[in-house]
Amino acid sequence: MEIRKKIQVDKQGLEQWLDRMIADGLRVFAPVRSGAKVDVRQIVNASEVADDYIQTIQSVKRFAFPKSEELFSYRKGADGVELKEQDVDALPETIAWKVRPCDAAGFTPLGGIFNWDYKDKPFNARRAKLTLISFSCTQSDDACFCTSVGGGPGNTAGSDIQVTELSGQHYLVEAITEKGEAMVGKYLQDAATADDVDKEQYLAKIPVHFNVKELFAKLGTAFDSPIWKQQSERCLGCGACAFVCPTCACFDIQEDAKGSSGKRIRCWDSCGFSLFTLHTSGHNPRPTQSTRWRQRILHKFLYMPDRLAVTGCTGCGRCSRACPVDMNILEHLQSITDHD
Amino acid sequence: MNELIAKVKSMFADDVVKLVVGFEKGNRGARPFFCKSAEEADKLILDEHCPNNVAVYLTKKELLGDGKVAFVVNTAALRSALELSVENQWKEGRFVFLTLNPGGEAVQLENAEAIAAYLQEHPLAVNDEDRQLLDSIRSMTPAERWKYWTYEMSKCIKCYACRAACPLCYCTKCIVEENRPQWIQPWSAPLSNIEWQINRAMHQAGRCTGCGACKEACPVGIPIHLLTLSMMEDAMDVFGQKPGEVNANGNMLSTFRVEDKEDFIR
């Protein structure tokens, strides 16, 4: 992606920028440490931002696709039914600070799903009001595999601005989108340009573990493979992997009904749940955990590349870290590519 | 451990079992392992810190097949297995349990009575960290406690990893999935998250064996095990209901008598 503007700031300048956005009344979310875990929370001060961690527990997908949201409310009165849609114009502008490139990249598959045929109004409205300020990765861990699925520690896809730590006290700030350029222009107008800085040398080195095209080809004939049963034996069937995933977009529709009024709610769902495909008749086309695990992998690495021309995984490794029983996705994908 | 692995190998060799459920080395410590042959048995590991409670697989019939299955487990899983036996979830002859006693010797337990006798010698001790947390929460005023749990539950994403990791959450249809009527709102929201965890704690009262698998499984780090741990202690104090024991007065949650002294229940 073309970089619109490259500038350099020091640590103080970076924190002042963040504090000024908060002072301007913008809703800023950033990684915050709580005990041993780091997760995304709204902050009121730059000093709250966590350092020295690989990945937040949850992705930032919830700013465009919240864990639950009211689609509309209704009330039945004497004159008929009154419907009130979610007022997407009233949604606040949101800044997501220190997002990982693999999180920002997740909005490409998410956007693909929410605009496949029907253009989803709440998703698109929230996405339009979201500014993603990503920080490229200078560290990685064994769960990371962004480079195997077309991403990288300095990938700018999805980001409005990307910040790279050059050395202890200096940062490269790249404006990627028009929105990002305007923000840099407003908050960092005095910063020195840094057109000659090459961020590559500062990025984490993340090996390519498998060939995603080869994986795609193998999956095309893997539906009846015994590998699904082998891999899924220990899977407990919870939704942790799907809910922390930056690209998982499956949702359920629920009614919050009270007498003659109520709300229709959209909330996260997971293909790992046994009820996910249960029919009213009682038949379940995915009756076992192995068939549900197969769906998870095929959806991300076969169906989505096929239908949306994008892999449904950014290699963030969150599912591997969150899984209570170590269903490590990288390990499983490698065993598929190694399988005859 | 070598003695235990030798036992497993002889069980495969003598065709006593076709499957052994235990632990193997994973990407970040131990993880559950379905061992299907004597050759694979060398991968088995076991210690008291194995993070998951593999007793959760005792009720997963589709994974276990029809034959006898051996479980290589630590004391936490034995406690769950015993409670599952009290709840009639398995019968003698279905499983054989292998564990290591504190001296590192392999112990083979064939039935609930043997497990109960073994656990008599290895009673549950709530660890210091949990004890301190429980004490600090119990010493809070109701308002402080409400604030504490409201904040913790606001993090819940309703992934149900707590339920999935719990050997005693074996219902084929959980109350949160009932929709006629809908007892608990299934989506994640501050109130419905609290409703869910209150329900889970109540359903676990007198049954939870204090293994902490729910806490280990929670991806967002809510100390939910404190709720069931607290209920475990209350059930012991108030009703004399101890997990793994058949209570002469019947189970406190599922026993009804017309002469109950409480008015609300009649």
Side-chain angles (χ1 to χ4, degrees):
Chain A
M1 200 167 286
E2 197 196 333
I3 307 297
R4 289 167 175 267
K5 199 170 184 180
K6 275 168 93 171
I7 53 169
Q8 196 172 316
V9 293
D10 60 11
K11 195 170 174 32
Q12 203 188 357
L14 201 70
E15 286 178 354
Q16 278 171 357
W17 166 26
L18 183 54
D19 279 332
R20 277 182 58 204
M21 289 196 294
I22 298 168
D24 283 351
L26 290 167
R27 248 168 42 116
V28 181
F29 288 79
V32 175
R33 187 174 291 280
S34 164
K37 307 210 180 217
V38 174
D39 213 351
V40 185
R41 302 248 174 81
Q42 188 168 359
I43 58 162
V44 292
N45 196 304
S47 62
E48 291 176 69
V49 180
D51 280 318
D52 285 330
Y53 65 95
I54 299 296
Q55 187 63 279
T56 52
I57 300 165
Q58 294 186 74
S59 79
V60 294
K61 78 171 169 195
R62 69 179 152 114
F63 297 123
F65 174 39
K67 56 186 185 178
S68 54
E69 70 181 317
E70 180 188 319
L71 294 179
F72 61 82
S73 62
Y74 56 87
R75 179 178 298 277
K76 200 174 144 195
D79 308 330
V81 179
E82 183 199 339
L83 275 178
K84 215 162 105 190
E85 266 196 57
Q86 179 182 197
D87 183 7
V88 293
D89 297 329
L91 292 169
E93 286 282 343
T94 300
I95 313 282
W97 177 266
K98 211 172 181 176
V99 171
R100 292 295 185 216
C102 49
D103 255 16
F107 285 97
T108 310
L110 273 183
I113 291 167
F114 283 108
N115 293 285
W116 185 18
D117 45 9
Y118 174 74
K119 307 268 175 274
D120 190 88
K121 215 160 130 185
F123 174 86
N124 289 319
R126 285 177 196 272
R127 179 71 184 96
K129 291 192 171 179
L130 177 63
T131 306
L132 291 169
I133 302 172
S134 67
F135 277 48
S136 58
C137 299
T138 52
Q139 297 177 72
S140 64
D141 70 8
D142 290 344
C144 294
F145 64 101
C146 55
T147 50
S148 304
V149 286
N155 182 21
T156 55
S159 299
D160 292 293
I161 295 172
Q162 186 162 87
V163 179
T164 300
E165 188 177 349
L166 301 176
S167 63
Q169 299 296 308
H170 292 277
Y171 296 83
L172 172 72
V173 178
E174 295 170 295
I176 321 290
T177 61
E178 211 172 300
K179 200 199 243 179
E181 191 178 17
M183 182 171 272
V184 167
K186 181 172 178 190
Y187 291 102
L188 302 168
Q189 66 270 53
D190 301 330
T193 57
D195 290 333
D196 301 334
V197 177
D198 176 16
K199 68 181 179 184
E200 209 53 41
Q201 56 178 303
Y202 301 100
L203 302 178
K205 304 284 175 282
I206 301 164
V208 176
H209 294 282
F210 60 86
N211 181 320
V212 75
K213 290 206 167 68
E214 194 190 318
L215 176 69
F216 175 85
K218 284 222 164 161
L219 290 175
T221 56
F223 194 82
D224 294 317
S225 168
I227 207 162
W228 309 117
K229 191 160 180 288
Q230 289 160 20
Q231 292 189 343
S232 67
E233 271 175 330
R234 64 178 177 274
C235 174
L236 296 170
C238 74
C241 50
F243 290 1
V244 299
C245 175
T247 74
C248 270
C250 287
F251 57 80
D252 192 13
I253 297 290
Q254 291 282 344
E255 301 295 331
D256 185 8
K258 286 178 188 70
S260 55
S261 66
K263 295 170 193 161
R264 180 159 294 176
I265 311 262
R266 170 161 77 187
C267 59
W268 290 351
D269 204 347
S270 164
C271 59
F273 290 147
S274 59
L275 259 66
F276 186 72
T277 45
L278 182 66
H279 294 182
T280 318
S281 65
H283 172 66
N284 193 340
R286 292 186 207 133
T288 57
Q289 211 54 43
S290 61
T291 54
R292 301 191 271 271
W293 170 249
R294 173 179 64 196
Q295 169 63 20
R296 179 167 180 78
I297 298 299
L298 292 186
H299 196 183
K300 290 181 174 299
F301 299 95
L302 181 67
Y303 307 148
M304 284 179 63
D306 191 32
R307 287 165 206 181
L308 301 169
V310 60
T311 300
C313 171
T314 66
C316 72
R318 273 201 184 79
C319 52
S320 302
R321 295 184 201 97
C323 179
V325 290
D326 190 27
M327 288 284 288
N328 188 290
I329 194 166
L330 174 58
E331 181 190 337
H332 285 331
L333 294 174
Q334 281 180 290
S335 84
I336 293 167
T337 49
D338 293 345
H339 196 76
D340 292 327
Chain B
M1 193 67 208
N2 289 341
E3 187 194 349
L4 201 152
I5 289 172
K7 262 182 192 288
V8 167
K9 286 184 175 176
S10 73
M11 281 180 185
F12 277 119
D14 300 341
D15 216 16
V16 179
V17 296
K18 288 207 164 46
L19 175 66
V20 174
V21 182
F23 293 96
E24 66 176 345
K25 193 182 169 299
N27 296 286
R28 37 158 226 261
R31 71 183 179 197
F33 172 43
F34 285 68
C35 172
K36 295 187 191 85
S37 67
E39 295 74 55
E40 286 183 327
D42 287 316
K43 286 204 250 170
L44 283 163
I45 56 169
L46 181 67
D47 67 49
E48 287 299 314
H49 305 294
C50 286
N52 309 113
N53 187 339
V54 290
V56 73
Y57 301 110
L58 285 168
T59 52
K60 295 196 188 298
K61 293 179 181 66
E62 73 281 9
L63 287 175
L64 302 179
D66 297 325
K68 192 168 186 169
V69 181
F71 273 76
V72 176
V73 292
N74 49 25
T75 3
L78 286 175
R79 282 190 196 99
S80 309
L82 183 58
E83 176 60 22
L84 285 169
S85 162
V86 169
E87 296 181 15
N88 300 313
Q89 295 305 305
W90 60 275
K91 284 196 182 114
E92 188 171 342
R94 175 75 167 118
F95 303 119
V96 52
F97 297 89
L98 295 166
T99 190
L100 291 174
N101 68 18
E105 295 158 321
V107 179
Q108 186 169 335
L109 304 161
E110 295 278 352
N111 54 39
E113 289 71 33
I115 296 174
Y118 180 82
L119 290 176
Q120 279 282 294
E121 292 167 32
H122 304 91
L124 173 70
V126 175
N127 68 48
D128 292 345
E129 191 189 336
D130 286 346
R131 175 56 62 210
Q132 276 177 11
L133 267 167
L134 269 179
D135 288 347
S136 76
I137 292 169
R138 281 176 177 156
S139 67
M140 290 176 184
T141 64
E144 286 168 342
R145 212 177 300 148
W146 179 249
K147 198 177 157 198
Y148 174 84
W149 283 115
T150 312
Y151 169 70
E152 288 296 333
M153 295 306 172
S154 70
K155 298 187 232 168
C156 176
I157 49 175
K158 287 264 179 93
C159 69
Y160 302 119
C162 45
R163 178 182 73 181
C166 176
L168 293 161
C169 270
Y170 55 79
C171 290
T172 47
K173 195 171 187 189
C174 176
I175 188 162
V176 78
E177 278 139 11
E178 288 286 348
N179 55 6
R180 287 184 300 179
Q182 188 174 70
W183 301 100
I184 304 171
Q185 298 179 333
W187 57 90
S188 175
L191 188 63
S192 71
N193 294 348
I194 293 171
E195 278 178 340
W196 157 242
Q197 289 298 347
I198 288 175
N199 261 275
R200 212 183 89 81
M202 291 305 290
H203 285 193
Q204 291 284 341
R207 303 174 58 236
C208 169
T209 60
C211 74
C214 51
K215 170 213 174 191
E216 295 295 331
C218 179
V220 295
I222 307 172
I224 31 177
H225 67 303
L226 297 176
L227 293 172
T228 48
L229 212 51
S230 185
M231 290 304 285
M232 179 178 78
E233 296 190 336
D234 289 348
M236 277 195 238
D237 294 347
V238 183
F239 295 92
Q241 179 96 47
K242 208 173 156 196
E245 276 182 15
V246 179
N247 192 325
N249 295 318
N251 183 288
M252 58 174 263
L253 286 176
S254 52
T255 306
F256 170 74
R257 288 199 185 85
V258 280
E259 68 272 20
D260 198 295
K261 64 178 180 166
E262 301 292 348
D263 281 334
F264 76 91
I265 209 162
R266 272 181 274 172

